[in-house]
Amino acid sequence: MEQVIDYFENIDPILAAFYATLFTWGLTAAGAGLVFLFKNPKRALMDGMLGFTGGVMVAASFWSLLAPGIEMSEGEGFVKVIPAAVGFLLGAAFIFGLDKILPHLHINFKMDEAEGVKTPWHRTTLLVLAITLHNIPEGLAVGVLFGGVASGFEGATIGGAVALALGIGLQNFPEGFAVAVPMRRHGLSRRKSWMYGQASALVEPIAAVLGAWAVLTFEPILPYALAFAAGAMIFVVVEEVIPETQQDQYTDIATMGFIGGFIIMMTLDVGLG
C-alpha cells in the first residue's frame, strides 16, 4: 500500500484522480461480471450489498470529506463550519435537481415508480441511470480530494484520497452486481447485462477529473467542494440507497450490511489517512 501511495504522490493530481476512478470503475465491472455466474441471487444478499454500499458512502462523507473540509476552513466556532454547511447544502441540492430531472428507476422498484421526467425509455436504461446518479458524487469526491492534496491544504492527504478510492471501489463491486442482475432477470443476455452494469460507473472518471480540475483552478473552493461531495452522497444514501433495501423482509440484513460498510470505510480512512 505504501508503494501505491508513493506512486500517487508523484504524478499529476488530475491523472491520479483519473487512475483512481478507473480502479473504482474496474471493480464495478468486476461486480457486474458476477452476472455470468448468477441469474437469481437471493434478495437477502442483494439487500445486504446495498446496505454495505450505503454504509461506505456515509462513512466516506464524514471521515474523508466533511471532517477534512472543516479542519482546513479558516476562522473559529460557527465561522469555521460555514463552508462545510454551505457546500453540504449545495451538494444535496445538486443531486435533488438531477433526481427530479433525470429519468431513472431504483433497483427494487416497479416500473410505475420511475422518477424524473416521464419518458418512454426502457426499464434497462432507467436502471442504469439510477446507478449512474449514485456514481456522480462518488467520482466527484475522489477528484476533489486528490485536487486538495495537490493544492497543499492541511487535512487533505494522499493516504486519505487513496483510502476513499479504495472504499468506493469496494462498494462499487456489489453495486455493479446489483444493477446487472435485474437486467439479466428481465431477459437480457449475460453479456448485455454486464455491459449495462459496468457502464453505470463510467461517469466516475469524468466527475473525478472535473472535481480535481476545479479545485486546482479555484483553490479557495476546496472546503466547499469537499462538503459538496459529501452532501451529494448523503442525499443519494437517504433518498435512494436506504429505501431500496426496505422493500422486503430483509431489512435487518441490510442494516448490518450498512454497519459493516461504515466500519470498513472508517477503518480505511483512519488507517491510511
Side-chain angles (χ1 to χ4, degrees):
M1 184 57 69
E2 291 182 1
Q3 292 178 334
V4 173
I5 293 175
D6 288 342
Y7 173 76
F8 279 109
E9 282 181 337
N10 295 304
I11 64 173
D12 180 83
I14 294 179
L15 192 60
F18 179 72
Y19 286 162
T21 45
L22 280 184
F23 166 77
T24 63
W25 164 80
L27 284 183
T28 304
L34 292 179
V35 77
F36 290 101
L37 303 176
F38 305 99
K39 181 177 181 180
N40 291 302
K42 293 183 178 180
R43 178 64 180 270
L45 175 63
M46 301 295 289
D47 285 347
M49 285 181 167
L50 286 174
F52 178 86
T53 292
V56 169
M57 293 175 74
V58 170
S61 295
F62 176 75
W63 294 98
S64 300
L65 301 171
L66 278 177
I70 293 172
E71 182 180 344
M72 66 183 62
S73 298
E74 298 179 355
E76 299 293 336
F78 288 111
V79 173
K80 190 174 183 64
V81 80
I82 286 176
V86 172
F88 192 87
L89 178 61
L90 291 176
F94 172 70
I95 299 298
F96 174 80
L98 287 181
D99 187 67
K100 297 304 178 185
I101 297 171
L102 185 69
H104 62 284
L105 177 66
H106 302 315
I107 293 170
N108 293 323
F109 285 66
K110 298 177 181 178
M111 190 64 184
D112 59 4
E113 296 177 294
E115 299 180 7
V117 175
K118 298 302 178 184
T119 173
W121 292 350
H122 193 272
R123 179 187 183 93
T124 299
T125 304
L126 297 178
L127 283 169
V128 172
L129 288 175
I131 301 299
T132 299
L133 191 62
H134 290 196
N135 289 332
I136 291 173
E138 296 169 8
L140 184 65
V142 173
V144 166
L145 200 50
F146 272 107
V149 173
S151 298
F153 279 87
E154 183 178 356
T157 67
I158 196 68
V162 170
L164 177 61
L166 182 58
I168 288 177
L170 288 176
Q171 63 94 26
N172 273 4
F173 185 86
E175 200 171 69
F177 185 48
V179 71
V181 166
M183 297 176 187
R184 175 62 180 153
R185 191 180 294 142
H186 286 89
L188 270 69
S189 68
R190 288 184 173 88
R191 180 177 173 277
K192 284 188 176 180
S193 298
W194 176 80
M195 287 293 294
Y196 281 117
Q198 61 84 29
S200 65
L202 289 175
V203 70
E204 287 190 2
I206 299 172
V209 167
L210 290 175
W213 171 83
V215 169
L216 289 169
T217 305
F218 310 101
E219 289 187 10
I221 73 168
L222 180 59
Y224 296 91
L226 289 170
F228 182 97
M233 286 210 287
I234 293 296
F235 184 94
V236 166
V237 172
V238 176
E239 204 275 338
E240 299 188 8
V241 176
I242 291 178
E244 288 172 15
T245 68
Q246 304 300 305
Q247 301 295 309
D248 212 313
Q249 58 183 321
Y250 303 110
T251 56
D252 288 344
I253 294 175
T255 301
M256 293 311 298
F258 182 99
I259 297 299
F262 188 98
I263 291 172
I264 288 174
M265 185 64 237
M266 177 180 65
T267 303
L268 285 172
D269 188 85
V270 175
L272 295 177

